[in-house]
Amino acid sequence: MESKRVAQGVPLEEYQLTRADHRRQQEAVATADWVQRQVAKAPRWSDEKFKAIQELLGSPPHPSEFARWRVRLYCGHVREVRRLRGQERPDGGVTDHERCGECGLDPSVIVAFEPLAGDG
Ligand SMILES: [Zn+2]
C-alpha cells in the first residue's frame, strides 16, 4: 500500500519543546496514572479469559507490516520505533507516546519525527 509519510519538527536533535508538547505530556502522564489505578482495582484475569481475549485480538502483525520511524521524545531522547505501514505519522491515537529506553520516562510523548528510508 502506498502511503505518504510525513516528518515533523526536523532536525530532531534541534527541536524545541512547545507549550502544546508540555500539555500533551501532562495528559499522557495523567492518563497512564488513571489506567494504572483501574488495572490495580480490576480482578485478575483467569487463564481462560486471557486466552479468549488473545484469540479475539488475533495474531500479531508480521514484521513486514511495519515501517520504521525516528522519533524524538518529550525527554529529549531520539529513538527508533515501528508503526504499521500505511500510517502517515507515527503519533496517531494511542501510539503518541513511548517508554524511553534511555532515561526510563514512561510515558514520554512523541514531539517530533521523521520516516526512516528504506521502508514504507
Ligand atoms: Zn529519555
Side-chain angles (χ1 to χ4, degrees):
M1 179 172 42
E2 201 62 35
S3 69
K4 194 168 67 194
R5 299 165 72 198
V6 297
Q8 174 181 295
V10 289
L12 301 185
E13 286 75 11
E14 290 167 30
Y15 181 80
Q16 302 289 322
L17 290 175
T18 66
R19 292 172 68 142
D21 293 332
H22 292 299
R23 200 186 60 235
R24 282 179 57 223
Q25 174 66 16
Q26 283 172 2
E27 284 170 3
V29 169
T31 303
D33 284 351
W34 183 86
V35 168
Q36 232 165 33
R37 284 200 304 275
Q38 304 311 308
V39 169
K41 274 195 278 183
R44 233 181 84 86
W45 282 4
S46 64
D47 287 347
E48 292 78 39
K49 183 169 178 186
F50 193 73
K51 223 174 137 187
I53 295 286
Q54 273 185 323
E55 274 166 25
L56 203 65
L57 294 174
S59 53
H62 190 266
S64 68
E65 294 176 50
F66 289 96
R68 287 154 58 227
W69 297 80
R70 268 184 95 222
V71 301
R72 179 169 166 148
L73 301 175
Y74 181 80
C75 56
H77 291 120
V78 174
R79 309 256 301 147
E80 190 183 307
V81 300
R82 283 160 194 277
R83 295 289 184 259
L84 281 176
R85 283 180 191 280
Q87 293 189 352
E88 201 172 284
R89 42 192 299 152
D91 62 346
V94 297
T95 63
D96 72 337
H97 59 267
E98 291 282 323
R99 181 191 171 279
C100 180
E102 259 181 83
C103 70
L105 186 64
D106 184 19
S108 191
V109 294
I110 294 171
V111 295
F113 52 83
E114 62 186 357
L116 275 174
D119 284 290

